[in-house]
Amino acid sequence: MDSKHRSGCCECLRCCGRRDPRPRTVWLGHPEKRDQRYPRNVINNQKYNFFTFLPGVLFNQFKYFFNLYFLLLDCSQFVPEMRLAALYTYWVPLGFVLAVTIIREAVEEIRCYMRDKEVNSQIYSKLTARGTVKVKSSNIQVGDLVIVEKNQRVPADMIFLRTSEKNGSCFLRTDQLDGETDWKLRLPVTCTQRLPTASDLLQIRSYIYAEEPNIDIHNFAGTFTREDSDPPVNESLSIENTLWASTVIASGTVVGVVLYTGRELRSVMNTSNPRSKIGLFDLEVNCLTKILFGALVVVSLVMVALQHFAGRWYLQIIRFLLLFSNIIPISLRVNLDMGKIVYSWVIRRDSKIPGTVVRSSTIPEQLGRISYLLTDKTGTLTQNEMVFKRLHLGTVAYGLDSMDEVQSHIFSIYTQQPQDPPALKGPALATKVRKTMSSRVHEAVKAIALCHNVTPVYESNDVTDQAEAERHYEDSCRVYQASSPDEVALVQWTESVGLTLVGRDQSSMQLRTPGGQILNFTILQIFPFTYESKRMGIIVRDESTGEITFYMKGADVVMAGIVQYNDWLEEECGNMAREGLRVLVVAKKSLTEEQYQDFEARYVQAKLSVHDRSLKVATVIESLEMEMELLCLTGVEDQLQTDVRPTLETLRNAGIKVWMLTGDKLETATCTAKNAHLVTRTQDIHIFRLVTNRGEAHLELNAFRRKHDCALVISGDSLEVCLKYYEYEFMELACQCPAVVCCRCAPTQKAQIVRLLQERTGKLTCAVGDGGNDVSMIQEADCGVGVEGKAVFSSVFYFASVPLYQGFLIIGYSTIYTMFPVFSLVLDKDVKSEVAMLYPELYKDLLKGRPLSYKTFLIWVLISIYQGSIIMYGALLLFESEFVHIVAISFTSLILTELLMVALTIQTWHWLMIVAELLSLSCYIASLVFLHEFIDVYFIATLSFLWKVTAITLVSCLPLYVLKYLRRRFSPPSYSKLTS
């Protein structure tokens, strides 16, 4: 997938006359020393620019037959032989439709421009030979040395050079880039971090050699070289040294050198170009328009054939086409656009979803036809707030309602024996004497308080106060920073029960007891958590006793083979997992000084190996991971958004399948799926094994094919392999699943999944997300949510191609005479909103698309033919002596029939509907004063005219009312019982 995307980008660059991306050499602080031209650091999410706006909008309108038909129709009136009426009768309605569209697109483009301008105008500090200067984000260049403060967005892709943090590192929030909530630890270049001041970066001759721009946000390869040292310094650079654009600095102040800008940013390359979306309803109307046009051609040919193709028959065909053109009313286009605007307005004003902003008012009706909902996890389904829920010691478990017991155990340990705290006792006694409950609880809590990568940071507005707070470990100023919210939740819990992490650097850690005593520990080794190992470990030395302890925590699937035999681990892990908790197994092992020295020697030797380094290192660590003492199980829960569970239940009952696409780890995604009830308690979960080649993918797909009614959990790497070799087979199986969870998904993968769903199923998709990494998915989906009959007259008059209604009558019929009632149908409801939420199964009827099916369309065509015939021939029969007033007779009947037919289709009356009906009728009556050119006012005021027109209207409408009543009586719709 990456290679396809990359080749696509290269093709685009070649077409635009730009060079292919290639590796670069970037001199620190000297942007003028560049070996190639680089794009400006400008973020642009607009669909058009100043010059392409009008042509682009018009093209997007006229590429569909519905609009192109009216354009050609209107243009034909410039030819004298084809003109049927004044030009304004054709161009005014089309001009109105285009004006509404252009204004709507212009407003949306302006909003997008303002958002881009806000980002591009953000101010940053830049190091120069003249000192520190302020610079806009859009003016940052490759090679600039940029200072980024805490909680500030990184403006470009940079290499991390220096930090103000004492521990020589910083944390990065990347949720807007990759969707992961875990903070990432970043390390500066060692050579530049050692410089006395940041300004010294400009005094050294150094450069960075970096790979070409690409979309891979998880990897980077480059080198740092300092030429003016003896000998020259060379450092390899990896992802740990990068600061990608759209991430946020979470700790300290950093200095970085800019590598990539503008369209070469990782975040930009992972975002697809915005596209104009067209609704399914518009596509269906467009298709029906083609059918109607085909019918017009047939009728026109029949008319000319009845004249025996006399004279310039080809011109007569065109005139008939123009004459019958009102069978495809432009008022439909007007009402559709206005209706969408009203729906968008209603969504914005909905009190149940306050603060909603409709970014696109062209597709609000799509929300009623969704089959697949694709959602991000973090910030969408969850609040990204971890809460400690359970501590299990095997024989006893503590929940939220019994945490005070844990606190009392810790308090008793440190207060009853103040002169001889448990930290001072040797491990020998524990093997001979059965531990008390307090000591067991204490050992578990201490292990949790030590086994992590959390750093306490003390924050204050005043520098002096901050230093004072750090010196005295002020609780009110302390915040915890970590690469995982799970670890923060665990450390916050140990603080709540009495054992507080108050200090940490790269080599030591300090805990505070309930009595205020500070326990000091030296960090000897740290084995960080990895996706492959599923565990993390730490070796610490207690400074007061010299004891060395190896602590480890991890997933039960790996820890079960590491800890000593027990009969409760598997069962209790399963119980906690079924509650939706993220379970960690905590264990420890005491080491003698000789054991540790032996391990350290082997560990250092393994890290110096050139061949198979990672394997040798893992083997040495595993030599320690044997017969460890099982201390406890911990259970944390990611807090769900309000009403997530009932919402997912409602969606499931409505026939909408939910797929969760997240950048988080597999375990995290699986726990959230269970906790949110995305996967029901009765459904099994198939976790797709990690596959790397075609053979493995084939075997795993065969194993998955044997499962039934089973939710799927798959990682982004495995997904990429499956889509590469077995795209059709995988999508076929995935679409049959009640729910799908894709973890470790890159932004481009999210968009690819949406696109494949659309292609394979032909169903409408809706994407919901809250981060920058969700933009591509939202843009690709059909709906994106980021957290708006006539035609009988010619056959009567000897098949002559002359119009019955001319001038303002045509415009009036398309606008003020009929627009308000038809437009008021947007207020119609077949069921109340409360009933719809109570019975979400009703949504399944919408997915069938029956209101605009070919059957429904044919029925309305037959109704229009019937009513047109009644109006025309009824006028001939009843007004034979006054036939010179045929326009007044038929047009009045037509308006009344239109109003009655709108009333016939209404399910639930709204007072605005009645106003619309009366307003339209009043507009027609009032306009008769100005229409004396077409209608004789004195004639329509006679009693004979009134009762005859009433009779014609009743004959055209009354049978339809009777049929509607009989149908509702003997074949009621599914929702009728609920409304009654």
Side-chain angles (χ1 to χ4, degrees):
M1 183 191 66
D2 289 1
S3 60
K4 290 181 182 179
H5 190 99
R6 200 173 294 126
S7 63
C9 293
C10 294
E11 289 295 328
C12 178
L13 292 173
R14 278 195 286 270
C15 292
C16 299
R18 301 167 185 158
R19 296 180 179 179
D20 292 343
R22 63 176 190 266
R24 62 192 58 187
T25 299
V26 179
W27 290 84
L28 270 63
H30 296 283
E32 69 279 358
K33 292 184 179 181
R34 52 189 178 192
D35 54 358
Q36 54 183 298
R37 295 187 62 184
Y38 305 117
R40 289 188 62 211
N41 194 43
V42 176
I43 301 299
N44 184 6
N45 292 308
Q46 297 168 249
K47 291 187 288 187
Y48 313 102
N49 58 37
F50 180 80
F51 299 101
T52 62
F53 173 74
L54 192 58
V57 172
L58 293 178
F59 172 76
N60 285 326
Q61 288 298 304
F62 294 124
K63 69 181 179 182
Y64 297 103
F65 180 80
F66 186 88
N67 295 327
L68 181 62
Y69 168 78
F70 289 110
L71 177 65
L72 296 176
L73 175 68
D74 293 0
C75 290
S76 69
Q77 296 304 291
F78 289 110
V79 181
E81 290 84 358
M82 299 181 185
R83 183 175 299 173
L84 298 176
L87 287 175
Y88 72 87
T89 62
Y90 290 88
W91 281 99
V92 168
L94 181 62
F96 175 77
V97 171
L98 291 178
V100 170
T101 301
I102 291 172
I103 292 172
R104 183 183 62 222
E105 289 286 339
V107 169
E108 292 178 359
E109 281 293 287
I110 290 172
R111 288 175 178 169
C112 189
Y113 167 77
M114 297 304 294
R115 291 195 297 270
D116 290 344
K117 184 179 178 181
E118 181 181 357
V119 174
N120 293 326
S121 300
Q122 290 179 350
I123 302 297
Y124 294 86
S125 298
K126 182 174 75 170
L127 289 176
T128 67
R130 304 188 309 273
T132 302
V133 298
K134 299 296 183 181
V135 61
K136 287 184 177 181
S137 174
S138 57
N139 293 331
I140 290 175
Q141 303 178 58
V142 172
D144 282 345
L145 297 175
V146 179
I147 302 173
V148 186
E149 305 287 344
K150 181 181 178 181
N151 293 326
Q152 199 172 20
R153 184 186 72 90
V154 178
D157 288 351
M158 304 194 300
I159 290 296
F160 184 14
L161 300 178
R162 289 181 61 83
T163 177
S164 63
E165 293 289 275
K166 293 181 180 180
N167 58 14
S169 63
C170 86
F171 282 106
L172 205 62
R173 294 204 300 267
T174 65
D175 52 304
Q176 292 296 309
L177 179 67
D178 58 15
E180 295 188 32
T181 58
D182 301 353
W183 288 7
K184 306 298 188 301
L185 184 67
R186 291 294 184 258
L187 303 174
V189 177
T190 305
C191 177
T192 54
Q193 178 66 20
R194 288 174 178 169
L195 294 174
T197 63
S199 59
D200 291 330
L201 291 169
L202 296 166
Q203 309 304 320
I204 62 174
R205 281 184 52 82
S206 58
Y207 64 85
I208 290 172
Y209 181 77
E211 63 184 1
E212 73 279 358
N214 61 72
I215 65 172
D216 191 349
I217 60 177
H218 298 296
N219 293 288
F220 174 77
T223 58
F224 170 85
T225 302
R226 180 176 178 181
E227 292 185 334
D228 58 351
S229 63
D230 189 21
V233 176
N234 289 284
E235 287 188 42
S236 63
L237 302 176
S238 66
I239 189 65
E240 289 184 333
N241 308 113
T242 60
L243 304 171
W244 294 145
S246 297
T247 60
V248 177
I249 302 299
S251 63
T253 300
V254 304
V255 180
V257 59
V258 176
L259 285 187
Y260 310 114
T261 53
R263 63 176 179 273
E264 294 180 343
L265 297 175
R266 292 293 209 269
S267 57
V268 173
M269 297 181 76
N270 273 284
T271 304
S272 58
N273 293 325
R275 64 184 180 92
S276 296
K277 296 183 181 181
I278 185 74
L280 177 61
F281 188 77
D282 289 320
L283 293 175
E284 291 171 339
V285 170
N286 190 63
C287 181
L288 296 178
T289 302
K290 295 177 183 178
I291 296 175
L292 285 175
F293 180 75
L296 290 184
V297 174
V298 172
V299 173
S300 300
L301 288 173
V302 170
M303 291 294 186
V304 174
L306 292 174
Q307 294 180 346
H308 307 291
F309 295 95
R312 293 193 293 177
W313 58 269
Y314 51 88
L315 187 59
Q316 290 298 313
I317 291 179
I318 297 176
R319 286 180 62 86
F320 275 119
L321 284 173
L322 298 173
L323 181 63
F324 296 144
S325 63
N326 285 314
I327 289 179
I328 308 174
I330 196 171
S331 59
L332 174 61
R333 177 77 267 172
V334 177
N335 284 319
L336 283 179
D337 284 348
M338 297 301 292
K340 291 178 180 183
I341 292 174
V342 169
Y343 280 134
S344 301
W345 180 81
V346 170
I347 292 173
R348 284 196 295 266
R349 295 291 300 273
D350 194 331
S351 59
K352 295 180 181 178
I353 45 175
T356 302
V357 177
V358 179
R359 298 293 186 194
S360 176
S361 58
T362 59
I363 53 173
E365 78 284 356
Q366 297 278 76
L367 294 172
R369 307 279 291 275
I370 300 299
S371 296
Y372 288 91
L373 181 73
L374 300 102
T375 176
D376 180 39
K377 180 190 77 71
T378 307
T380 305
L381 294 181
T382 67
Q383 300 179 25
N384 192 27
E385 293 181 5
M386 297 293 177
V387 177
F388 190 95
K389 287 294 186 74
R390 186 75 53 81
L391 177 70
H392 206 299
L393 301 180
T395 56
V396 64
Y398 298 97
L400 288 178
D401 56 348
S402 55
M403 289 304 174
D404 54 336
E405 295 182 32
V406 178
Q407 190 175 20
S408 65
H409 283 308
I410 299 298
F411 186 80
S412 65
I413 285 289
Y414 286 102
T415 55
Q416 290 178 9
Q417 305 174 43
Q419 302 301 320
D420 189 21
L424 303 179
K425 292 185 178 180
L429 184 61
T431 61
K432 297 179 180 179
V433 182
R434 184 180 182 274
K435 294 182 178 180
T436 65
M437 183 56 65
S438 292
S439 63
R440 288 182 62 195
V441 171
H442 168 255
E443 286 294 336
V445 173
K446 186 171 74 169
I448 297 170
L450 290 171
C451 189
H452 53 72
N453 264 314
V454 181
T455 302
V457 176
Y458 295 85
E459 297 181 339
S460 177
N461 295 330
D462 186 87
V463 177
T464 306
D465 292 344
Q466 182 170 330
E468 190 72 15
E470 189 169 351
R471 204 163 35 245
H472 293 90
Y473 303 131
E474 289 290 340
D475 291 343
S476 60
C477 301
R478 183 176 54 250
V479 294
Y480 294 116
Q481 293 178 344
S483 61
S484 170
D486 302 52
E487 295 205 311
V488 173
L490 292 173
V491 172
Q492 287 175 337
W493 175 77
T494 64
E495 178 184 359
S496 70
V497 297
L499 206 54
T500 306
L501 175 69
V502 293
R504 180 177 185 151
D505 54 31
Q506 290 183 323
S507 60
S508 65
M509 198 183 314
Q510 293 77 40
L511 300 181
R512 187 175 63 196
T513 69
Q517 179 186 1
I518 301 299
L519 307 178
N520 292 292
F521 297 86
T522 300
I523 300 174
L524 300 177
Q525 300 289 346
I526 293 182
F527 314 116
F529 179 91
T530 65
Y531 179 64
E532 293 76 19
S533 69
K534 296 182 174 59
R535 59 190 183 273
M536 72 87 58
I538 186 171
I539 301 178
V540 296
R541 175 187 280 120
D542 189 330
E543 287 298 302
S544 60
T545 64
E547 290 181 8
I548 300 176
T549 309
F550 173 35
Y551 292 105
M552 176 168 282
K553 67 181 180 185
D556 59 301
V557 291
V558 295
M559 295 295 290
I562 293 175
V563 299
Q564 298 169 349
Y565 173 77
N566 62 86
D567 57 359
W568 59 273
L569 176 62
E570 183 178 357
E571 180 182 357
E572 295 304 333
C573 283
N575 292 337
M576 293 171 68
R578 279 187 287 274
E579 295 180 34
L581 299 180
R582 193 176 307 173
V583 183
L584 287 175
V585 180
V586 183
K588 80 164 192 174
K589 185 176 188 179
S590 297
L591 302 176
T592 64
E593 187 69 33
E594 292 76 16
Q595 286 176 322
Y596 174 72
Q597 293 299 333
D598 175 66
F599 165 79
E600 185 181 36
R602 291 184 290 116
Y603 186 61
V604 171
Q605 187 67 30
K607 290 201 294 184
L608 293 175
S609 300
V610 178
H611 302 291
D612 299 325
R613 178 188 298 176
S614 59
L615 178 62
K616 292 178 179 178
V617 169
T619 302
V620 173
I621 297 175
E622 286 174 2
S623 68
L624 282 184
E625 300 173 340
M626 295 185 299
E627 293 298 308
M628 297 189 71
E629 179 185 354
L630 175 59
L631 296 178
C632 65
L633 306 181
T634 65
V636 297
E637 181 182 72
D638 194 350
Q639 291 291 88
L640 298 174
Q641 297 283 10
T642 307
D643 296 333
V644 159
R645 288 170 178 167
T647 299
L648 290 177
E649 182 70 22
T650 298
L651 292 172
R652 189 158 44 241
N653 291 335
I656 300 175
K657 291 188 176 182
V658 181
W659 289 28
M660 186 172 77
L661 314 180
T662 177
D664 264 341
K665 296 184 285 291
L666 185 143
E667 292 82 3
T668 308
T670 306
C671 284
T672 302
K674 293 178 180 177
N675 193 24
H677 294 178
L678 176 65
V679 179
T680 63
R681 296 183 183 275
T682 59
Q683 289 174 345
D684 291 330
I685 297 179
H686 178 83
I687 298 180
F688 206 90
R689 190 169 56 87
L690 184 64
V691 297
T692 57
N693 55 55
R694 183 169 190 162
E696 292 177 351
H698 180 74
L699 292 174
E700 191 63 19
L701 282 172
N702 284 339
F704 179 43
R705 186 176 282 109
R706 291 190 288 269
K707 302 289 183 69
H708 300 285
D709 192 33
C710 180
L712 172 65
V713 179
I714 185 170
S715 67
D717 293 335
S718 298
L719 176 68
E720 186 174 349
V721 175
C722 290
L723 293 181
K724 182 178 180 180
Y725 298 110
Y726 299 103
E727 179 182 295
Y728 177 81
E729 292 83 354
F730 174 80
M731 291 303 298
E732 182 182 25
L733 290 173
C735 290
Q736 295 172 3
C737 295
V740 175
V741 177
C742 298
C743 57
R744 289 290 183 184
C745 261
T748 50
Q749 281 183 312
K750 292 185 177 184
Q752 185 188 23
I753 293 171
V754 174
R755 185 164 56 253
L756 288 173
L757 268 178
Q758 294 168 335
E759 293 173 355
R760 296 297 180 189
T761 66
K763 305 289 187 180
L764 289 188
T765 59
C766 177
V768 184
D770 71 315
N773 63 307
D774 302 316
V775 172
S776 295
M777 171 178 73
I778 290 173
Q779 290 177 339
E780 191 65 42
D782 297 291
C783 273
V785 180
V787 186
E788 234 196 307
K790 313 180 257 182
V792 180
F793 173 79
S794 294
S795 63
V796 176
F797 280 94
Y798 310 104
F799 315 105
S801 56
V802 293
L804 175 60
Y805 309 131
Q806 302 184 21
F808 185 78
L809 293 182
I810 291 292
I811 297 178
Y813 181 79
S814 300
T815 54
I816 62 172
Y817 295 156
T818 59
M819 186 175 71
F820 298 124
V822 175
F823 182 57
S824 70
L825 289 177
V826 299
L827 302 171
D828 194 12
K829 296 180 180 180
D830 46 10
V831 295
K832 294 181 179 179
S833 57
E834 294 82 5
V835 176
M837 294 301 294
L838 189 60
Y839 299 97
E841 293 83 359
L842 294 172
Y843 188 87
K844 295 179 182 179
D845 288 340
L846 298 178
L847 299 179
K848 300 173 183 177
R850 288 175 177 169
L852 206 62
S853 65
Y854 288 114
K855 177 183 177 182
T856 305
F857 170 71
L858 180 60
I859 290 173
W860 279 104
V861 169
L862 295 176
I863 289 174
S864 64
I865 293 174
Y866 164 76
Q867 290 183 326
S869 302
I870 292 296
I871 292 173
M872 198 66 245
Y873 287 103
L876 282 173
L877 181 64
L878 298 179
F879 291 90
E880 187 173 359
S881 57
E882 299 100 347
F883 198 69
V884 292
H885 300 297
I886 188 63
V887 171
I889 300 165
S890 59
F891 194 76
T892 303
S893 299
L894 184 64
I895 295 297
L896 294 175
T897 298
E898 179 82 15
L899 299 180
L900 289 174
M901 288 305 295
V902 170
L904 176 66
T905 60
I906 292 175
Q907 303 286 345
T908 305
W909 281 90
H910 190 281
W911 66 270
L912 284 176
M913 295 177 176
I914 301 174
V915 171
E917 293 269 326
L918 297 177
L919 181 62
S920 294
L921 185 60
S922 301
C923 288
Y924 175 60
I925 295 174
S927 64
L928 293 177
V929 178
F930 309 100
L931 299 177
H932 52 80
E933 180 182 352
F934 309 106
I935 297 175
D936 185 350
V937 179
Y938 297 102
F939 168 71
I940 65 175
T942 62
L943 185 62
S944 175
F945 171 84
L946 292 176
W947 80 260
K948 291 180 180 179
V949 166
T950 301
I952 293 174
T953 305
L954 288 176
V955 173
S956 68
C957 296
L958 189 59
L960 300 177
Y961 273 84
V962 174
L963 289 174
K964 178 184 178 181
Y965 171 78
L966 294 175
R967 182 180 180 185
R968 290 185 66 89
R969 178 68 182 275
F970 298 106
S971 181
S974 58
Y975 57 81
S976 59
K977 295 180 180 179
L978 303 178
T979 56
S980 61

